PDB file of all heavy atoms in Angstrom:
ATOM      1  N   GLU A 170      75.996 128.355 145.263  1.00  0.00           N
ATOM      2  CA  GLU A 170      74.982 127.752 144.396  1.00  0.00           C
ATOM      3  C   GLU A 170      74.937 128.446 143.041  1.00  0.00           C
ATOM      4  O   GLU A 170      74.726 127.785 142.017  1.00  0.00           O
ATOM      5  CB  GLU A 170      73.619 127.804 145.089  1.00  0.00           C
ATOM      6  CG  GLU A 170      73.509 126.838 146.263  1.00  0.00           C
ATOM      7  CD  GLU A 170      72.279 127.080 147.117  1.00  0.00           C
ATOM      8  OE1 GLU A 170      71.710 128.198 147.054  1.00  0.00           O
ATOM      9  OE2 GLU A 170      71.888 126.161 147.864  1.00  0.00           O
ATOM     10  N   VAL A 171      75.115 129.765 143.015  1.00  0.00           N
ATOM     11  CA  VAL A 171      75.176 130.487 141.741  1.00  0.00           C
ATOM     12  C   VAL A 171      76.352 129.984 140.909  1.00  0.00           C
ATOM     13  O   VAL A 171      76.223 129.800 139.687  1.00  0.00           O
ATOM     14  CB  VAL A 171      75.295 132.004 141.983  1.00  0.00           C
ATOM     15  CG1 VAL A 171      75.619 132.734 140.668  1.00  0.00           C
ATOM     16  CG2 VAL A 171      74.005 132.559 142.565  1.00  0.00           C
ATOM     17  N   ASN A 172      77.478 129.728 141.546  1.00  0.00           N
ATOM     18  CA  ASN A 172      78.629 129.182 140.830  1.00  0.00           C
ATOM     19  C   ASN A 172      78.306 127.811 140.240  1.00  0.00           C
ATOM     20  O   ASN A 172      78.697 127.497 139.109  1.00  0.00           O
ATOM     21  CB  ASN A 172      79.837 129.082 141.765  1.00  0.00           C
ATOM     22  CG  ASN A 172      80.406 130.438 142.138  1.00  0.00           C
ATOM     23  OD1 ASN A 172      80.238 131.410 141.398  1.00  0.00           O
ATOM     24  ND2 ASN A 172      81.073 130.525 143.279  1.00  0.00           N
ATOM     25  N   ASP A 173      77.581 126.987 141.018  1.00  0.00           N
ATOM     26  CA  ASP A 173      77.167 125.677 140.509  1.00  0.00           C
ATOM     27  C   ASP A 173      76.192 125.826 139.332  1.00  0.00           C
ATOM     28  O   ASP A 173      76.264 125.083 138.350  1.00  0.00           O
ATOM     29  CB  ASP A 173      76.493 124.864 141.616  1.00  0.00           C
ATOM     30  CG  ASP A 173      77.492 124.101 142.478  1.00  0.00           C
ATOM     31  OD1 ASP A 173      78.675 124.030 142.092  1.00  0.00           O
ATOM     32  OD2 ASP A 173      77.084 123.571 143.535  1.00  0.00           O
ATOM     33  N   ILE A 174      75.275 126.801 139.439  1.00  0.00           N
ATOM     34  CA  ILE A 174      74.312 127.038 138.360  1.00  0.00           C
ATOM     35  C   ILE A 174      75.041 127.417 137.072  1.00  0.00           C
ATOM     36  O   ILE A 174      74.759 126.875 135.993  1.00  0.00           O
ATOM     37  CB  ILE A 174      73.315 128.146 138.762  1.00  0.00           C
ATOM     38  CG1 ILE A 174      72.387 127.639 139.869  1.00  0.00           C
ATOM     39  CG2 ILE A 174      72.501 128.621 137.555  1.00  0.00           C
ATOM     40  CD1 ILE A 174      71.566 128.731 140.516  1.00  0.00           C
ATOM     41  N   ASN A 175      75.977 128.324 137.188  1.00  0.00           N
ATOM     42  CA  ASN A 175      76.735 128.754 136.004  1.00  0.00           C
ATOM     43  C   ASN A 175      77.550 127.600 135.422  1.00  0.00           C
ATOM     44  O   ASN A 175      77.649 127.458 134.193  1.00  0.00           O
ATOM     45  CB  ASN A 175      77.653 129.922 136.365  1.00  0.00           C
ATOM     46  CG  ASN A 175      76.871 131.184 136.675  1.00  0.00           C
ATOM     47  OD1 ASN A 175      75.771 131.388 136.149  1.00  0.00           O
ATOM     48  ND2 ASN A 175      77.423 132.053 137.523  1.00  0.00           N
ATOM     49  N   TYR A 176      78.098 126.793 136.310  1.00  0.00           N
ATOM     50  CA  TYR A 176      78.848 125.621 135.835  1.00  0.00           C
ATOM     51  C   TYR A 176      77.905 124.647 135.120  1.00  0.00           C
ATOM     52  O   TYR A 176      78.235 124.104 134.052  1.00  0.00           O
ATOM     53  CB  TYR A 176      79.528 124.929 137.014  1.00  0.00           C
ATOM     54  CG  TYR A 176      80.280 123.679 136.636  1.00  0.00           C
ATOM     55  CD1 TYR A 176      81.445 123.756 135.876  1.00  0.00           C
ATOM     56  CD2 TYR A 176      79.825 122.424 137.032  1.00  0.00           C
ATOM     57  CE1 TYR A 176      82.144 122.605 135.513  1.00  0.00           C
ATOM     58  CE2 TYR A 176      80.512 121.277 136.675  1.00  0.00           C
ATOM     59  CZ  TYR A 176      81.666 121.372 135.921  1.00  0.00           C
ATOM     60  OH  TYR A 176      82.348 120.233 135.567  1.00  0.00           O
ATOM     61  N   GLY A 177      76.719 124.444 135.704  1.00  0.00           N
ATOM     62  CA  GLY A 177      75.745 123.558 135.068  1.00  0.00           C
ATOM     63  C   GLY A 177      75.323 124.053 133.695  1.00  0.00           C
ATOM     64  O   GLY A 177      75.181 123.262 132.755  1.00  0.00           O
ATOM     65  N   PHE A 178      75.150 125.379 133.566  1.00  0.00           N
ATOM     66  CA  PHE A 178      74.814 125.947 132.258  1.00  0.00           C
ATOM     67  C   PHE A 178      75.915 125.666 131.243  1.00  0.00           C
ATOM     68  O   PHE A 178      75.650 125.393 130.065  1.00  0.00           O
ATOM     69  CB  PHE A 178      74.593 127.453 132.369  1.00  0.00           C
ATOM     70  CG  PHE A 178      73.189 127.842 132.710  1.00  0.00           C
ATOM     71  CD1 PHE A 178      72.918 128.636 133.806  1.00  0.00           C
ATOM     72  CD2 PHE A 178      72.125 127.410 131.926  1.00  0.00           C
ATOM     73  CE1 PHE A 178      71.627 128.997 134.126  1.00  0.00           C
ATOM     74  CE2 PHE A 178      70.820 127.763 132.238  1.00  0.00           C
ATOM     75  CZ  PHE A 178      70.564 128.556 133.342  1.00  0.00           C
ATOM     76  N   SER A 179      77.155 125.733 131.674  1.00  0.00           N
ATOM     77  CA  SER A 179      78.267 125.478 130.741  1.00  0.00           C
ATOM     78  C   SER A 179      78.240 124.033 130.248  1.00  0.00           C
ATOM     79  O   SER A 179      78.594 123.761 129.090  1.00  0.00           O
ATOM     80  CB  SER A 179      79.605 125.790 131.414  1.00  0.00           C
ATOM     81  OG  SER A 179      79.930 124.831 132.406  1.00  0.00           O
TER      82      SER A 179
END
Side-chain angles (χ1 to χ4, degrees):
E170 289 168 340
V171 170
N172 290 335
D173 275 349
I174 290 168
N175 291 331
Y176 178 69
F178 272 124
S179 71

